[in-house]
Amino acid sequence: LTLRAHFLHGPYPATHFGPKACILPNPTSVMHIQDPASQRLTWNKPPVNVLVIRKIRDESLVEPFKELCHFLVEEKGMLVFVERRVVADVSLTTDETFASIRKQLCTFREGYDDISHCIDLIICLGGDGTLLYASSLFQGSVPPVMAFHLGSLGFLTPFKFESYKTEVAKVFEGNAAITLRSRLKVKVVKDMLQRTGQPGQHEAGNITLQMQVLNEVVVDRGPSSYLSNVDLYLDGRLITSVQGDGVIVSTPTGSTAYAAAAGASMIHPNVPAIMVTPICPHSLSFRPIVVPAGVELMITLSPDARNTCWVSFDGRKRQEISHGDCIKITTSCYPVPSICCHDLVYDWFESLAQCLHWNVRKKQARLADDVSDSSDTEN
């Protein structure tokens, strides 16, 4: 019998991010999980290699991208990595003033070149999708991420580009506040055989996909007009069947994305938890739930399901799930260290207010001083 080692608060997150960054040790802490307020970034060695991620097909980002690259290469002496298709943009290849900088950029291709062990810092220019893309590039330890708000929503991108030189210089100096955004460790297993008389217990199948997910895993009915019908297991025990359009398994970071649109609560990214949110369930009592980060969830097609279901991971790698397949989900020990503009509490509530307009309403006017209670003046 092999027991899976885990804790209800989730695996202790890795505190080293890339080859040179880590969390500043707190000698006064006696907690096994470090106080979020004390999560400060420090550098074991000065950062040298910077990955710049730019939202593609957005011409408004060309000039900020060129400014940032010039600053990093010429003024800071950094080695800058960019994706090859970003540098191949016509507006960059035809710009003679950018030619000298362009020749000094290191390029890579997603899925072909592994840069996960040589990047010290990630800088994102765009919207929330750039942070999700950065997460997908690093399936193990993730370097610190600094995200500038140049997209449409910007919930995960707290920095304003107008002050990029000052902000980037502060990060290079270290001691910046960071939020550890937990990720989901996901496996797709094909051709599993259920043990006779033991629901939730399966013989090993073929692992066809393993990945780290920052926002959510979405299981839906795909093109079928039938309800999806999937079974949800928690640590090997069947807890419910989901009959509806599907189910969302999300991180606290993902709680403000698709899960929020499906009616879930919004959870601060430092809360160790996994959210399970049904999508249009055919039940009046199926409410979203929050489970401890250390559990393992498993999703399979119900034996009497009329059709297959489909699964996607942060909106990518969508694939079909058939009978005999399963999706295993738990909390990863490799979070995304997101650098805060102010601190991890202020940034989150600022995003709630500015991006989602949380609890925005016209203020109720106060009563005039000479107006008494209405109950006293009715007669």
Side-chain angles (χ1 to χ4, degrees):
L1 179 64
T2 302
L3 296 178
R4 183 172 61 88
H6 69 277
F7 302 92
L8 288 183
H9 288 297
Y12 190 83
T15 56
H16 286 77
F17 314 118
K20 297 174 184 173
C22 65
I23 286 182
L24 183 67
N26 182 5
T28 61
S29 175
V30 294
M31 300 174 63
H32 292 290
I33 298 178
Q34 192 169 9
D35 178 9
S38 69
Q39 290 174 180
R40 311 289 298 183
L41 177 69
T42 189
W43 301 101
N44 296 325
K45 297 179 181 179
V48 175
N49 301 328
V50 179
L51 169 62
V52 176
I53 296 177
R54 193 201 98 190
K55 181 181 178 182
I56 61 173
R57 295 188 296 273
D58 189 340
E59 291 300 316
S60 67
L61 297 183
V62 173
E63 288 303 320
F65 174 76
K66 292 193 293 186
E67 282 187 44
L68 178 63
C69 289
H70 185 277
F71 171 71
L72 293 174
V73 174
E74 294 294 334
E75 297 187 33
K76 292 297 181 180
M78 298 290 161
L79 192 60
V80 176
F81 288 74
V82 295
E83 194 174 0
R84 182 175 296 180
R85 58 178 175 167
V86 172
V87 181
D89 192 310
V90 175
S91 58
L92 295 178
T93 56
T94 57
D95 187 348
E96 295 183 1
T97 62
F98 189 68
S100 61
I101 299 296
R102 185 173 177 271
K103 292 177 181 178
Q104 299 180 65
L105 300 179
C106 300
T107 61
F108 70 96
R109 293 179 300 166
E110 181 189 6
Y112 293 92
D113 303 315
D114 183 12
I115 60 170
S116 59
H117 298 293
C118 62
I119 299 300
D120 303 324
L121 174 69
I122 304 171
I123 299 180
C124 296
L125 302 178
D128 295 345
T130 57
L131 194 66
L132 296 175
Y133 178 65
S135 170
S136 70
L137 293 176
F138 296 85
Q139 293 299 299
S141 176
V142 185
V145 182
M146 185 179 193
F148 286 93
H149 178 25
L150 291 167
S152 53
L153 184 61
F155 194 91
L156 307 178
T157 53
F159 289 94
K160 300 287 191 299
F161 189 75
E162 290 77 11
S163 56
Y164 77 93
K165 288 187 178 183
T166 303
E167 299 295 351
V168 172
K170 287 180 182 177
V171 170
F172 286 159
E173 293 171 2
N175 200 31
I178 58 172
T179 297
L180 297 183
R181 298 185 178 276
S182 64
R183 295 194 290 178
L184 298 175
K185 177 182 176 183
V186 185
K187 295 180 182 178
V188 176
V189 185
K190 298 284 188 177
D191 304 321
M192 294 183 67
L193 298 175
Q194 181 174 312
R195 296 176 184 172
T196 305
Q198 295 181 317
Q201 301 296 318
H202 298 77
E203 301 291 347
N206 302 315
I207 299 175
T208 60
L209 176 71
Q210 292 189 77
M211 67 179 304
Q212 310 280 326
V213 174
L214 178 58
N215 260 2
E216 75 269 304
V217 177
V218 177
V219 179
D220 61 70
R221 60 189 175 95
S224 173
S225 59
Y226 290 115
L227 293 173
S228 69
N229 190 354
V230 298
D231 291 338
L232 179 64
Y233 294 86
L234 191 151
D235 284 341
R237 299 181 64 176
L238 177 67
I239 57 172
T240 193
S241 294
V242 182
Q243 298 181 89
D245 279 355
V247 64
I248 305 166
V249 179
S250 61
T251 64
T253 294
S255 70
T256 52
Y258 193 178
S265 296
M266 295 181 288
I267 300 179
H268 190 279
N270 261 96
V271 176
I274 298 175
M275 296 191 67
V276 179
T277 307
I279 307 172
C280 298
H282 199 249
S283 167
L284 297 178
S285 60
F286 197 163
R287 305 299 300 163
I289 61 172
V290 178
V291 298
V295 304
E296 181 181 76
L297 296 171
M298 184 173 72
I299 299 174
T300 66
L301 269 180
S302 295
D304 53 354
R306 296 184 178 184
N307 55 285
T308 61
C309 64
W310 290 74
V311 61
S312 60
F313 313 92
D314 282 344
R316 309 180 80 194
K317 299 187 182 295
R318 184 170 169 81
Q319 57 187 272
E320 190 173 17
I321 299 297
S322 305
H323 287 288
D325 304 341
C326 83
I327 308 158
K328 293 185 176 182
I329 307 168
T330 190
T331 300
S332 168
C333 62
Y334 297 110
V336 173
S338 180
I339 299 174
C340 301
C341 183
H342 301 285
D343 62 64
L344 70 173
V345 174
Y346 179 90
D347 282 9
W348 192 67
F349 279 100
E350 180 75 1
S351 293
L352 286 183
Q354 297 298 322
C355 300
L356 300 183
H357 304 293
W358 176 65
N359 196 28
V360 173
R361 74 178 295 272
K362 188 176 180 180
K363 288 286 187 180
Q364 184 182 47
R366 61 175 294 178
L367 292 174
D369 294 338
D370 59 345
V371 177
S372 58
D373 187 271
S374 60
S375 63
D376 297 333
T377 60
E378 286 179 351
N379 298 322

